[in-house]
Amino acid sequence: MAKEQTGIRERQRIDTAEPRKYKVTIFNDDFTTMAFVVMILMQVFFKSEAEAEALMLKVHHSGMAVVGRYSYDVAVSKVQKATAMAEAEHYPLRFSVEPEE
């Protein structure tokens, strides 16, 4: 005769949390052209032309602006791509990646 299994299987509750977000900040400098900043914001950060121009002006007047909030890998990848594009054009454009509070 086959053995009957009698056991209670307990369910474990697994809480999943959203991954931590990181903010990407762009900093103003006196050498990078406004048109180049707008182009970076549109091509790398997928901002519309109006959003890119508004962010560029905010950077110009405030010295810096947050351009987006992403997972860590995406934030670092976008910063690396934007920095490489700026270096190719000999612009000192700077970005930072910081955890959101």
Side-chain angles (χ1 to χ4, degrees), residues 32-73:
T32 307
T33 63
M34 292 179 176
F36 185 78
V37 172
V38 169
M39 187 264 303
I40 290 286
L41 292 171
M42 290 172 64
Q43 289 185 5
V44 177
F45 296 95
F46 302 110
K47 302 294 182 187
S48 68
E49 188 171 355
E51 285 178 305
E53 287 177 5
L55 277 169
M56 176 271 301
L57 288 173
K58 183 175 181 185
V59 170
H60 183 68
H61 294 297
S62 304
M64 65 181 191
V66 174
V67 296
R69 290 165 174 76
Y70 308 96
S71 66
Y72 181 76
D73 292 338

Side-chain angles (χ1 to χ4, degrees), residues 13-99:
R13 183 179 172 134
I14 300 173
D15 290 331
T16 57
E18 294 240 353
R20 189 170 190 182
K21 295 288 185 178
Y22 291 78
K23 62 183 178 181
V24 175
T25 306
I26 185 172
F27 295 93
N28 189 34
D29 62 67
D30 294 332
F31 303 103
T32 307
T33 63
M34 292 179 176
F36 185 78
V37 172
V38 169
M39 187 264 303
I40 290 286
L41 292 171
M42 290 172 64
Q43 289 185 5
V44 177
F45 296 95
F46 302 110
K47 302 294 182 187
S48 68
E49 188 171 355
E51 285 178 305
E53 287 177 5
L55 277 169
M56 176 271 301
L57 288 173
K58 183 175 181 185
V59 170
H60 183 68
H61 294 297
S62 304
M64 65 181 191
V66 174
V67 296
R69 290 165 174 76
Y70 308 96
S71 66
Y72 181 76
D73 292 338
V74 172
V76 169
S77 176
K78 286 183 179 287
V79 167
Q80 287 174 343
K81 183 175 181 179
T83 302
M85 290 171 72
E87 287 175 355
E89 296 295 323
H90 305 291
Y91 289 127
L93 191 59
R94 292 184 315 122
F95 296 88
S96 72
V97 176
E98 299 169 359

